[in-house]
Amino acid sequence: MVELSPEVKAQLEEQKKQCVFCKILNGEIAAKKVYEDKVMIGVLDINPAAKGHMLLLPKEHYPILPFMPPANFVHMFGLMPNLINALRNAMVCSGARVFIANGGAAGQQSSHFLVHMIPGDKGDGFNYFSFDKLGLVDDNKFKQFNQVMENNLPVMMRKHFQQMPNNWFKGKPGNADFLADIKMKQQVLYEDEKVLCVAHDNALTVGHYVVYSNEERSDIEKLDVESSAHMFYVASYCANAVFQGLGAHATNIIMKTGTCSDNAEGRLCIHVLPRYGNDGLDLLWKPMENKGNLDDIASRIRDQMFEVEHSQKEVRKVETLDLDAKELHKISDSKDVDVKTESAKDEIEEALKKYRGE
Ligand SMILES: [Zn+2]
């Protein structure tokens, strides 16, 4: 676990007292619960972007994703295929999105880190994550930072593999046919057996990156625990790197799976975006006007989640890897890369300041 200074600990305690989601977790505030295990709960969003929009809340209060210890990270994101599968079955839809905001400038609205899961369908009109507009990106700055990432990401991933050993990494990039067009058009920043990470060709901003799976073109449901967690790990390292390297105020991590309005090609992908106050990017949805019957929706999702709650043997095996989370923060300390370096503790305090908008 990350070591926090007494000041940061005190700030976190203050945050927890005010936190609506901690109050939901301890039963002080009612919510429509649809899922629970020992690490997290799922509740319906009361202002849904789409029918079945739910929130995954870690039971611990973490202000942003980098505070989450590796065991819980692997648990939450390793289960994503099962959770998305259950949600899609409940809502009978062709796709889904996962939205994560680290920091206010990215649209984080509570001090409790959480994950939005938003069902999606072909032609559902939800186009907030299309990323098809040409960004006003300075080409030179874009390329310059891509180079920093191309040097840095493999170093970060090597350290990650030292900390969390596995039996699949041999350093041989996957060669998925369905990614050939992407590899041809876009700058590759990192690849291994399981993932491909590229600079987005329609970047909204410098540091807009995309992680694809080398194993599956469309549906996260087809990935196993390790592959799903790994995709999110690479996205999370990217987010930390752009946060520090570009001095961003916040970051978004947005996964799309299956076919939706904003994913017409139905590609499984995770976008990473650095965010700044007033950056003009509009990624926040308007709540639905006709929410439908929330009790009915909750009960449908709960029925499908039952099996996920009761089939977690495989996840527990991975969970025993309780490793030093400091590395999650110390992502840019390699000497050959021109990225700001700070100690893990400073980074956390810095993140908290940015998070509070100071
Ligand atoms: Zn909380």
Side-chain angles (χ1 to χ4, degrees), residues 15-23 25 58-62 110-113:
Q15 267 189 9
K16 280 189 211 175
K17 281 186 212 155
Q18 313 294 328
C19 174
V20 171
F21 292 103
C22 282
K23 288 182 179 158
L25 281 157
K59 287 185 169 174
E60 270 300 310
H61 179 104
Y62 308 116
S110 79
S111 63
H112 197 112
F113 169 75

Side-chain angles (χ1 to χ4, degrees), residues 3 13 79 96 119 123 144 174 203 208 211 213 215 222 236 241 270 273 279-280 282 285 287 294 321:
E3 267 188 50
E13 284 311 311
L79 268 182
Q144 221 175 1
H208 181 175
V211 181
S213 166
E215 299 167 295
K222 307 244 175 79
S236 170
I270 307 182
L273 283 156
D279 61 13
D282 188 15
W285 50 86
L294 292 184
L321 283 168

